[in-house]
Amino acid sequence: MKVWIDQDLCTGDGLCEEIAPAVFTLLDDGLAYVKEGDKIFNSPGGAEGLANIPDGMLEAVVESAEECPGECIFIEE
Ligand code: SF4
């Protein structure tokens, strides 16, 4: 499973990073991005910045997507 964020809709509240810090990170621009280890998908972000969800993290990623106030976390097969 993979995950991406639509930064155009991100409010920058950081909920996703609180729930799943291994997958989401806030950058200096105040927006959240997905990551794989040290690799942050911010160039490009959006739908072109798809990160693999690590084993065992799917539940936290789903919770992040459900809680996300911007409704901008998208999970794909
Ligand atoms: S929870 Fe959603 S709106 Fe909040 S920082 Fe993460 S992606 Fe952005």
Side-chain angles (χ1 to χ4, degrees):
M1 301 288 279
K2 297 187 171 207
V3 61
W4 63 280
I5 293 174
D6 183 346
Q7 279 81 24
D8 288 343
L9 300 175
C10 176
T11 69
D13 59 88
L15 257 179
C16 53
E17 188 183 43
E18 278 179 37
I19 297 170
V23 179
F24 303 110
T25 190
L26 250 70
L27 294 186
D28 289 345
D29 61 7
L31 301 174
Y33 294 86
V34 293
K35 65 176 186 174
E36 281 177 17
D38 290 338
K39 183 177 181 197
I40 299 172
F41 292 79
N42 62 329
S43 183
E48 291 177 59
L50 265 171
N52 285 301
I53 300 172
D55 288 346
M57 289 302 300
L58 181 60
E59 198 173 321
V61 171
V62 169
E63 184 186 345
S64 299
E66 287 174 351
E67 299 291 330
C68 172
E71 298 185 355
C72 54
I73 297 175
F74 299 95
I75 299 165
E76 297 189 2
E77 295 278 350

Coordinates of all heavy atoms in Angstrom, one line a residue:
M1 N 0.8 -1.2 0.0 CA 0.0 0.0 0.0 C 0.9 1.3 0.0 O 2.0 1.3 0.6 CB -0.9 0.0 1.2 CG -1.8 -1.2 1.4 SD -3.2 -1.2 0.2 CE -4.3 0.0 1.0
K2 N 0.4 2.3 -0.6 CA 1.1 3.5 -0.7 C 0.3 4.7 -0.2 O -1.0 4.6 -0.1 CB 1.5 3.8 -2.2 CG 2.5 2.7 -2.7 CD 3.0 3.1 -4.0 CE 4.1 2.1 -4.4 NZ 5.1 2.6 -5.3
V3 N 0.9 5.8 0.1 CA 0.2 7.0 0.6 C 0.8 8.2 0.0 O 2.0 8.3 -0.3 CB 0.2 7.0 2.1 CG1 1.7 7.1 2.7 CG2 -0.6 8.1 2.7
W4 N -0.1 9.2 -0.2 CA 0.4 10.5 -0.6 C -0.5 11.6 0.0 O -1.6 11.3 0.5 CB 0.4 10.7 -2.2 CG -0.9 10.5 -2.9 CD1 -1.6 9.4 -3.2 CD2 -1.7 11.6 -3.4 NE1 -2.7 9.6 -3.8 CE2 -2.9 11.0 -4.0 CE3 -1.6 13.0 -3.4 CZ2 -3.9 11.7 -4.6 CZ3 -2.6 13.7 -4.0 CH2 -3.8 13.1 -4.6
I5 N 0.0 12.8 0.0 CA -0.7 14.0 0.6 C -0.9 15.0 -0.5 O 0.0 15.3 -1.3 CB 0.1 14.6 1.7 CG1 0.2 13.6 2.9 CG2 -0.5 15.9 2.2 CD1 1.1 14.1 4.0
D6 N -2.1 15.6 -0.6 CA -2.4 16.7 -1.4 C -2.0 18.0 -0.6 O -2.9 18.4 0.2 CB -3.8 16.7 -1.9 CG -4.1 17.9 -2.9 OD1 -3.2 18.8 -2.9 OD2 -5.2 17.9 -3.5
Q7 N -0.9 18.5 -0.8 CA -0.4 19.7 0.0 C -1.3 20.9 -0.2 O -1.3 21.8 0.6 CB 1.1 20.0 -0.3 CG 2.1 19.1 0.4 CD 2.3 17.8 -0.3 OE1 2.0 17.6 -1.5 NE2 2.7 16.8 0.5
D8 N -2.0 21.0 -1.3 CA -2.9 22.1 -1.6 C -4.0 22.2 -0.5 O -4.5 23.3 -0.3 CB -3.5 22.1 -3.0 CG -2.5 22.3 -4.1 OD1 -1.4 22.9 -3.7 OD2 -2.8 22.0 -5.2
L9 N -4.3 21.1 0.1 CA -5.4 21.0 1.1 C -4.9 20.9 2.5 O -5.7 21.0 3.5 CB -6.3 19.8 0.8 CG -7.0 19.8 -0.6 CD1 -7.7 18.5 -0.8 CD2 -7.9 21.0 -0.8
C10 N -3.6 20.7 2.7 CA -3.0 20.5 4.0 C -3.1 21.8 4.9 O -2.8 22.8 4.4 CB -1.6 20.1 3.9 SG -0.7 19.9 5.5
T11 N -3.6 21.6 6.1 CA -3.8 22.8 7.0 C -2.5 23.0 7.8 O -2.4 24.0 8.5 CB -4.9 22.6 8.0 OG1 -4.6 21.5 8.9 CG2 -6.2 22.2 7.2
G12 N -1.6 22.0 7.8 CA -0.3 22.1 8.6 C -0.5 21.9 10.1 O 0.4 22.3 10.8
D13 N -1.6 21.3 10.5 CA -1.8 21.1 12.0 C -0.8 20.0 12.5 O -0.6 20.0 13.7 CB -3.2 20.7 12.2 CG -3.6 19.4 11.5 OD1 -3.4 18.4 12.1 OD2 -4.0 19.5 10.3
G14 N -0.3 19.1 11.7 CA 0.6 18.2 12.2 C 0.1 16.9 12.8 O 0.8 16.1 13.4
L15 N -1.2 16.7 12.7 CA -1.9 15.5 13.3 C -1.3 14.2 12.7 O -1.0 13.3 13.5 CB -3.4 15.5 13.0 CG -4.3 15.9 14.2 CD1 -5.7 15.9 13.7 CD2 -4.1 15.0 15.3
C16 N -1.0 14.2 11.4 CA -0.5 13.0 10.8 C 0.8 12.6 11.4 O 1.1 11.5 11.6 CB -0.5 13.2 9.3 SG 0.4 14.6 8.7
E17 N 1.7 13.6 11.5 CA 3.0 13.4 12.0 C 3.0 12.9 13.5 O 3.8 12.1 13.9 CB 3.9 14.7 12.0 CG 5.3 14.5 12.3 CD 6.1 15.8 12.3 OE1 5.6 16.8 12.8 OE2 7.2 15.8 11.8
E18 N 2.0 13.4 14.3 CA 1.8 12.9 15.6 C 1.4 11.5 15.7 O 1.9 10.7 16.5 CB 0.7 13.7 16.4 CG 1.2 15.1 16.9 CD 0.1 15.8 17.6 OE1 -0.8 15.2 18.2 OE2 0.0 17.0 17.4
I19 N 0.5 11.1 14.8 CA 0.0 9.7 14.8 C 1.0 8.7 14.1 O 1.2 7.6 14.6 CB -1.4 9.7 14.0 CG1 -2.4 10.5 14.8 CG2 -1.9 8.2 13.9 CD1 -3.7 10.7 14.0
A20 N 1.6 9.1 13.0 CA 2.5 8.2 12.3 C 3.8 8.9 11.9 O 4.0 9.2 10.7 CB 1.8 7.6 11.1
P21 N 4.7 9.2 12.8 CA 5.9 10.0 12.5 C 6.8 9.3 11.6 O 7.7 9.9 11.0 CB 6.5 10.3 13.9 CG 5.9 9.2 14.8 CD 4.6 8.9 14.3
A22 N 6.7 7.9 11.4 CA 7.5 7.2 10.5 C 7.2 7.4 9.1 O 7.9 7.1 8.1 CB 7.5 5.7 10.8
V23 N 6.0 7.9 8.8 CA 5.4 8.1 7.5 C 5.2 9.5 7.1 O 5.3 9.9 5.9 CB 4.1 7.3 7.3 CG1 3.5 7.4 6.0 CG2 4.3 5.8 7.7
F24 N 4.9 10.4 8.0 CA 4.6 11.8 7.7 C 5.5 12.7 8.4 O 5.9 12.5 9.6 CB 3.1 12.1 8.2 CG 2.1 11.2 7.6 CD1 1.4 10.3 8.4 CD2 1.7 11.3 6.3 CE1 0.4 9.5 7.9 CE2 0.8 10.5 5.7 CZ 0.1 9.6 6.5
T25 N 5.8 13.8 7.8 CA 6.7 14.8 8.4 C 6.3 16.2 7.9 O 5.9 16.4 6.8 CB 8.2 14.6 8.1 OG1 9.0 15.4 8.9 CG2 8.5 14.8 6.6
L26 N 6.4 17.2 8.8 CA 6.1 18.6 8.5 C 7.4 19.3 8.1 O 8.4 19.1 8.8 CB 5.5 19.3 9.6 CG 4.0 19.7 9.5 CD1 3.2 18.4 9.5 CD2 3.5 20.7 10.5
L27 N 7.4 20.0 7.0 CA 8.6 20.7 6.6 C 8.5 22.2 6.9 O 7.5 22.7 7.4 CB 8.9 20.5 5.1 CG 9.2 19.1 4.7 CD1 9.6 19.0 3.2 CD2 10.3 18.5 5.5
D28 N 9.6 23.0 6.6 CA 9.6 24.4 7.0 C 8.5 25.2 6.3 O 8.2 26.3 6.7 CB 11.0 25.0 6.6 CG 12.1 24.4 7.5 OD1 11.7 23.9 8.6 OD2 13.3 24.6 7.2
D29 N 8.0 24.7 5.2 CA 6.9 25.4 4.5 C 5.6 25.3 5.2 O 4.6 25.8 4.8 CB 6.8 25.0 3.0 CG 6.5 23.5 2.9 OD1 6.2 22.8 3.9 OD2 6.5 23.0 1.7
G30 N 5.6 24.5 6.4 CA 4.4 24.4 7.2 C 3.4 23.3 6.6 O 2.3 23.2 7.1
L31 N 3.9 22.5 5.7 CA 3.0 21.5 5.1 C 3.5 20.1 5.4 O 4.7 19.9 5.6 CB 2.9 21.7 3.6 CG 2.3 23.1 3.2 CD1 2.4 23.2 1.7 CD2 0.9 23.2 3.6
A32 N 2.6 19.1 5.4 CA 3.0 17.7 5.6 C 3.4 17.0 4.3 O 2.8 17.3 3.3 CB 1.9 17.0 6.3
Y33 N 4.4 16.1 4.4 CA 4.8 15.3 3.3 C 5.0 13.9 3.8 O 5.2 13.6 5.0 CB 6.1 15.8 2.8 CG 6.0 17.2 2.1 CD1 6.1 18.3 3.0 CD2 5.8 17.4 0.8 CE1 6.0 19.6 2.4 CE2 5.6 18.6 0.2 CZ 5.7 19.7 1.1 OH 5.6 21.0 0.5
V34 N 4.9 12.9 2.8 CA 5.1 11.5 3.2 C 6.6 11.3 3.0 O 7.3 12.0 2.4 CB 4.3 10.6 2.3 CG1 2.8 10.7 2.5 CG2 4.6 10.8 0.8
K35 N 7.1 10.2 3.7 CA 8.5 9.9 3.6 C 8.7 8.4 3.7 O 7.8 7.6 4.2 CB 9.2 10.6 4.7 CG 8.9 10.1 6.1 CD 9.8 10.8 7.2 CE 9.5 10.3 8.6 NZ 10.5 10.8 9.5
E36 N 9.8 7.9 3.3 CA 10.3 6.5 3.4 C 11.7 6.6 4.1 O 12.6 7.0 3.4 CB 10.4 5.8 2.1 CG 9.1 5.3 1.5 CD 9.3 4.7 0.1 OE1 10.4 4.4 -0.2 OE2 8.3 4.6 -0.6
G37 N 11.8 6.3 5.3 CA 13.0 6.5 6.0 C 13.5 7.9 6.0 O 12.7 8.8 6.4
D38 N 14.7 8.2 5.4 CA 15.2 9.6 5.3 C 14.7 10.3 4.1 O 15.0 11.5 3.9 CB 16.7 9.5 5.3 CG 17.3 9.1 6.7 OD1 16.6 9.3 7.7 OD2 18.4 8.7 6.7
K39 N 14.1 9.6 3.2 CA 13.7 10.2 1.9 C 12.3 10.8 2.0 O 11.3 10.1 2.3 CB 13.6 9.1 0.8 CG 13.3 9.7 -0.5 CD 13.3 8.7 -1.6 CE 13.0 9.4 -3.0 NZ 12.6 8.4 -4.0
I40 N 12.3 12.1 1.9 CA 11.0 12.9 1.9 C 10.5 13.2 0.5 O 11.3 13.7 -0.3 CB 11.2 14.2 2.8 CG1 11.6 13.8 4.2 CG2 9.9 15.0 2.8 CD1 12.1 15.0 5.0
F41 N 9.2 12.9 0.3 CA 8.7 13.1 -1.1 C 8.1 14.5 -1.2 O 6.9 14.7 -1.1 CB 7.6 12.0 -1.3 CG 8.2 10.7 -1.5 CD1 8.6 9.9 -0.3 CD2 8.4 10.1 -2.7 CE1 9.1 8.7 -0.5 CE2 9.0 8.8 -2.8 CZ 9.3 8.1 -1.7
N42 N 9.0 15.5 -1.3 CA 8.5 16.9 -1.4 C 8.8 17.5 -2.8 O 8.5 18.7 -3.0 CB 9.1 17.7 -0.3 CG 10.6 17.8 -0.3 OD1 11.2 16.9 -0.8 ND2 11.1 18.9 0.2
S43 N 9.5 16.8 -3.6 CA 9.9 17.4 -4.9 C 9.8 16.3 -6.0 O 10.8 15.7 -6.3 CB 11.3 17.9 -4.8 OG 11.6 18.6 -6.0
P44 N 8.7 16.0 -6.6 CA 7.4 16.7 -6.3 C 6.7 16.1 -5.2 O 6.9 14.9 -4.8 CB 6.6 16.5 -7.6 CG 7.1 15.1 -8.1 CD 8.5 15.0 -7.7
G45 N 5.8 16.8 -4.6 CA 4.9 16.3 -3.6 C 3.6 15.8 -4.3 O 3.7 15.3 -5.4
G46 N 2.5 16.0 -3.6 CA 1.2 15.6 -4.2 C 1.1 14.2 -4.6 O 1.8 13.3 -4.1
A47 N 0.3 13.9 -5.7 CA 0.1 12.6 -6.1 C 1.3 11.9 -6.7 O 1.4 10.7 -6.9 CB -1.0 12.6 -7.2
E48 N 2.3 12.7 -7.1 CA 3.5 12.2 -7.7 C 4.5 11.7 -6.6 O 5.5 11.1 -6.9 CB 4.2 13.2 -8.6 CG 3.4 13.4 -9.9 CD 4.0 14.4 -10.8 OE1 5.2 14.3 -11.2 OE2 3.4 15.5 -11.0
G49 N 4.3 12.2 -5.4 CA 5.1 11.8 -4.3 C 4.5 10.7 -3.4 O 4.0 10.9 -2.3
L50 N 4.5 9.5 -4.0 CA 3.9 8.3 -3.4 C 4.9 7.5 -2.5 O 5.9 7.1 -3.1 CB 3.4 7.4 -4.4 CG 1.9 7.5 -4.9 CD1 1.7 6.6 -6.1 CD2 1.0 7.0 -3.8
A51 N 4.6 7.3 -1.3 CA 5.6 6.6 -0.4 C 4.9 5.2 -0.1 O 3.7 5.1 0.1 CB 5.8 7.4 0.9
N52 N 5.8 4.2 0.0 CA 5.4 2.9 0.5 C 5.1 3.0 2.0 O 5.8 3.6 2.7 CB 6.4 1.9 0.2 CG 6.5 1.5 -1.2 OD1 5.5 1.0 -1.8 ND2 7.7 1.7 -1.8
I53 N 4.0 2.3 2.4 CA 3.7 2.3 3.8 C 4.4 1.1 4.4 O 4.2 -0.1 4.0 CB 2.2 2.1 4.0 CG1 1.4 3.3 3.4 CG2 1.8 2.0 5.5 CD1 -0.1 3.2 3.4
P54 N 5.3 1.3 5.4 CA 6.0 0.2 6.0 C 5.1 -0.8 6.7 O 4.0 -0.5 7.1 CB 6.9 0.9 7.0 CG 6.8 2.3 6.8 CD 5.6 2.6 6.1
D55 N 5.6 -2.1 6.8 CA 4.8 -3.1 7.5 C 4.4 -2.6 8.9 O 5.2 -2.0 9.6 CB 5.7 -4.4 7.6 CG 5.8 -5.1 6.3 OD1 5.1 -4.7 5.4 OD2 6.7 -5.9 6.2
G56 N 3.2 -2.9 9.3 CA 2.8 -2.5 10.6 C 2.3 -1.1 10.8 O 1.8 -0.7 11.8
M57 N 2.5 -0.3 9.7 CA 2.1 1.1 9.8 C 0.7 1.5 9.2 O 0.3 2.6 9.3 CB 3.2 2.0 9.2 CG 4.5 2.1 10.0 SD 4.3 2.7 11.7 CE 3.6 4.3 11.4
L58 N 0.2 0.5 8.5 CA -1.1 0.8 7.8 C -2.2 1.3 8.7 O -2.9 2.3 8.3 CB -1.6 -0.4 7.0 CG -2.8 -0.2 6.2 CD1 -2.6 0.9 5.1 CD2 -3.3 -1.5 5.5
E59 N -2.3 0.7 9.9 CA -3.4 1.2 10.7 C -3.2 2.6 11.2 O -4.2 3.4 11.2 CB -3.4 0.3 12.0 CG -4.7 0.3 12.8 CD -4.8 -0.7 13.9 OE1 -4.3 -1.8 13.7 OE2 -5.3 -0.4 15.0
A60 N -2.0 3.0 11.5 CA -1.7 4.4 11.9 C -1.9 5.3 10.7 O -2.4 6.5 10.9 CB -0.3 4.5 12.4
V61 N -1.6 4.9 9.5 CA -1.8 5.7 8.3 C -3.3 5.9 8.1 O -3.7 7.0 7.7 CB -1.1 5.1 7.1 CG1 -1.4 5.9 5.8 CG2 0.5 5.2 7.3
V62 N -4.1 4.9 8.2 CA -5.5 4.9 8.0 C -6.1 5.9 9.0 O -6.9 6.7 8.7 CB -6.2 3.5 8.1 CG1 -7.7 3.7 8.1 CG2 -5.8 2.7 6.9
E63 N -5.7 5.8 10.3 CA -6.2 6.7 11.3 C -5.8 8.1 11.0 O -6.6 9.0 11.2 CB -5.5 6.3 12.7 CG -6.1 7.1 13.8 CD -5.4 6.8 15.2 OE1 -4.7 5.8 15.3 OE2 -5.6 7.7 16.1
S64 N -4.6 8.3 10.5 CA -4.2 9.7 10.1 C -5.1 10.2 9.0 O -5.5 11.4 9.1 CB -2.7 9.7 9.6 OG -1.9 9.3 10.6
A65 N -5.4 9.4 8.1 CA -6.3 9.8 7.0 C -7.7 10.2 7.5 O -8.3 11.1 7.0 CB -6.3 8.8 5.9
E66 N -8.1 9.4 8.4 CA -9.5 9.6 9.0 C -9.5 10.9 9.8 O -10.5 11.6 9.8 CB -9.9 8.4 9.8 CG -10.3 7.2 9.0 CD -10.5 6.0 9.8 OE1 -10.3 6.0 11.1 OE2 -11.0 5.0 9.3
E67 N -8.4 11.2 10.5 CA -8.4 12.3 11.4 C -8.0 13.6 10.7 O -8.2 14.7 11.2 CB -7.4 12.1 12.6 CG -7.7 10.9 13.4 CD -9.0 11.1 14.3 OE1 -9.2 12.3 14.6 OE2 -9.7 10.1 14.6
C68 N -7.4 13.5 9.6 CA -6.8 14.6 8.8 C -7.9 15.7 8.6 O -8.8 15.4 7.8 CB -6.2 14.2 7.5 SG -5.7 15.5 6.4
P69 N -7.7 16.9 9.1 CA -8.7 17.9 8.9 C -8.8 18.4 7.5 O -9.9 18.9 7.1 CB -8.3 19.1 9.9 CG -7.0 18.7 10.4 CD -6.7 17.3 10.0
G70 N -7.7 18.3 6.8 CA -7.8 18.7 5.3 C -8.3 17.6 4.4 O -8.5 17.9 3.2
E71 N -8.6 16.4 5.0 CA -9.0 15.3 4.2 C -8.1 15.1 3.0 O -8.6 14.9 1.8 CB -10.5 15.4 3.8 CG -11.4 15.4 5.0 CD -12.9 15.4 4.7 OE1 -13.2 15.5 3.5 OE2 -13.7 15.4 5.6
C72 N -6.8 15.2 3.2 CA -5.9 15.3 2.0 C -4.8 14.2 2.1 O -3.8 14.2 1.4 CB -5.2 16.6 2.0 SG -4.4 17.1 3.5
I73 N -5.1 13.1 2.9 CA -4.2 11.9 2.9 C -4.9 10.8 2.1 O -6.0 10.4 2.4 CB -3.9 11.5 4.3 CG1 -3.1 12.6 5.1 CG2 -3.1 10.2 4.3 CD1 -2.9 12.3 6.6
F74 N -4.2 10.4 1.1 CA -4.8 9.4 0.2 C -4.0 8.1 0.2 O -2.8 8.1 0.0 CB -4.9 10.0 -1.2 CG -5.7 11.2 -1.3 CD1 -5.1 12.4 -1.2 CD2 -7.1 11.1 -1.4 CE1 -5.9 13.6 -1.2 CE2 -7.9 12.2 -1.4 CZ -7.3 13.5 -1.3
I75 N -4.7 7.0 0.4 CA -4.1 5.7 0.5 C -4.4 4.9 -0.8 O -5.6 4.9 -1.2 CB -4.5 4.9 1.7 CG1 -4.1 5.7 3.0 CG2 -3.9 3.5 1.7 CD1 -4.8 5.2 4.2
E76 N -3.4 4.3 -1.4 CA -3.7 3.6 -2.7 C -3.0 2.2 -2.6 O -2.1 1.9 -1.9 CB -3.0 4.3 -3.9 CG -3.7 5.7 -4.1 CD -3.2 6.4 -5.3 OE1 -2.4 5.7 -6.1 OE2 -3.6 7.5 -5.6
E77 N -3.6 1.3 -3.4 CA -3.0 -0.1 -3.5 C -1.7 0.0 -4.2 O -1.4 0.7 -5.1 CB -3.9 -0.9 -4.5 CG -5.3 -1.2 -3.9 CD -5.3 -2.3 -2.9 OE1 -4.3 -3.0 -2.8 OE2 -6.3 -2.5 -2.2
Ligands
SF4_1 S1 -3.2 15.8 9.2 FE1 -3.7 16.4 7.1 S2 -4.0 18.6 7.2 FE2 -2.9 18.0 9.1 S3 -0.7 18.2 8.6 FE3 -1.3 16.1 8.1 S4 -1.8 16.1 5.9 FE4 -1.8 18.2 6.7

